[in-house]
Amino acid sequence: MTAQLGLGTYRCRDVAEAAVRAASRGADWVDTAPNYEGGRAEAALALVLAAYPDLRVSTKVGFVPPSARRIGVRAGALSAGDAKRGHCLAPDYIAWQVARSRRMLGRIPDVVFLHNPEHDCQENEFADRLYSAFLALEEACSQRVISSYGVAIWRGFSSGLFDVPALLELATKAGGPQHHLRAVQLPVSLVHLAPVAQALDGHGPLVDALDAGLEVFASAPLHGGEIPGIVTRDLTDLISPGSTPAQAALAVVASTTGVGRVLLSTGDPEHWAQAADAVGRPPLSPDVLRRVVDVLGT
């Protein structure tokens, strides 16, 4: 495959343990957020990142962990309303949170994703919200608090709220031609097959990101662990004979044009080894991917 396997920490019960296991087995990327593991994920990763200096890390800004709400309000970074809602992309909060994430992680994050910017946002407000957030992230880059930024979405592309060209236009408006927008993160799986189908037809967010030089992080490739239990043996054999259902599902994601990293959330060493084996195989052909789309639909 051309994609690489990275650790996603959203569903990890012990983020530090999962990161050590992944790093010791060759993973070079871990993705986290301030609200993961009950707000403890970033601090839990600090010692792991110190022990594995080549391990790259991305975090997010948007969802406010309960442990940071009072602190953020007292610091003047959060309004009481945003603290109650638990999500904020106001410039003051972004500046405060990315500085806090840097301290928690013990190093400059390689990428900071805007976490579900479509959350609780009206369509007519979205462009202004994103532009002001990009301005704050460009300022953080100029101050070397972060290295680059991206957008992590769940339904933003699929709902038609925005597309990659719109993101690039706003990033250029905020940071000029040398802006620091470097990545997008979106769900790609046997449940979220639309990006795969679009890529096969030469359009959609994965192709647009590839053409723009943005790295794509595929999140939820096993849809929260549900996919292995619903993939039939016939479908597994159609995709990759002799594989497990999880390996077949991961192979589809890793073989899709534009996907650069597949984020797997697991602390189980056997699951990680099987996933690494699946992602390390030659990519599936477009014909196989089309058959999967034809069988499952989008």
Side-chain angles (χ1 to χ4, degrees):
M1 311 285 179
T2 55
Q4 295 177 280
L5 187 63
L7 177 68
T9 57
Y10 175 53
R11 292 184 176 272
C12 291
R13 295 182 179 180
D14 188 325
V15 166
E17 181 180 4
V20 168
R21 286 177 173 171
S24 65
R25 287 164 174 79
D28 70 341
W29 199 289
V30 57
D31 178 74
T32 194
N35 58 310
Y36 290 178
E37 200 185 7
R40 298 181 296 273
E42 290 180 324
L45 282 171
L47 290 177
V48 183
L49 294 171
Y52 293 90
D54 293 332
L55 185 63
R56 300 175 71 190
V57 61
S58 51
T59 189
K60 304 180 182 73
V61 60
F63 288 104
V64 186
S67 59
R69 292 175 188 177
R70 287 186 179 180
I71 303 171
V73 171
R74 287 202 303 268
L78 266 175
S79 70
D82 286 335
K84 184 176 181 180
R85 282 188 292 272
H87 188 274
C88 183
L89 290 178
D92 286 347
Y93 175 69
I94 290 175
W96 181 80
Q97 180 58 61
V98 296
R100 189 169 187 262
S101 290
R102 180 186 178 183
R103 293 193 302 272
M104 289 286 188
L105 292 168
R107 76 159 71 156
I108 296 174
D110 294 282
V111 179
V112 170
F113 289 102
L114 291 183
H115 202 174
N116 291 18
E118 69 271 29
H119 180 80
D120 194 28
C121 184
Q122 300 299 315
E123 185 173 355
N124 62 351
E125 301 172 344
F126 186 76
D128 289 341
R129 171 190 275 196
L130 208 57
Y131 173 59
S132 64
F134 281 4
L135 281 173
L137 290 167
E138 288 289 346
E139 178 63 21
C141 290
S142 70
Q143 294 179 356
R144 298 185 180 180
V145 178
I146 64 176
S147 297
S148 64
Y149 63 91
V151 178
I153 63 94
W154 188 255
R155 59 176 182 84
F157 292 136
S158 61
S159 67
L161 184 60
F162 57 89
D163 56 18
V164 170
L167 296 180
L168 291 166
E169 181 179 349
L170 289 169
T172 301
K173 182 180 177 182
Q178 303 303 314
H179 62 78
H180 294 83
L181 177 65
R182 296 288 185 268
V184 292
Q185 185 178 142
L186 69 154
V188 185
S189 70
L190 294 182
V191 172
H192 294 278
L193 265 177
V196 179
Q198 292 167 342
L200 286 168
D201 292 334
H203 66 93
L206 302 181
V207 172
D208 289 343
L210 180 66
D211 290 345
L214 300 180
E215 186 165 14
V216 172
F217 292 71
S219 61
L222 298 180
H223 199 62
E226 295 179 8
I227 285 177
I230 61 177
V231 174
T232 65
R233 173 45 58 185
D234 286 345
L235 180 58
T236 299
D237 289 341
L238 169 66
I239 298 170
S240 181
S243 296
T244 67
Q247 287 178 317
L250 290 169
V252 169
V253 177
S255 300
T256 301
T257 296
V259 172
R261 293 186 184 275
V262 180
L263 297 175
L264 180 68
S265 185
T266 182
D268 187 312
E270 182 178 352
H271 290 171
W272 183 269
Q274 291 179 357
D277 176 64
V279 173
R281 295 176 187 175
L284 304 175
S285 70
D287 287 342
V288 170
L289 295 178
R290 286 190 185 279
R291 289 201 293 272
V292 173
V293 172
D294 289 343
V295 169
L296 297 178
T298 60

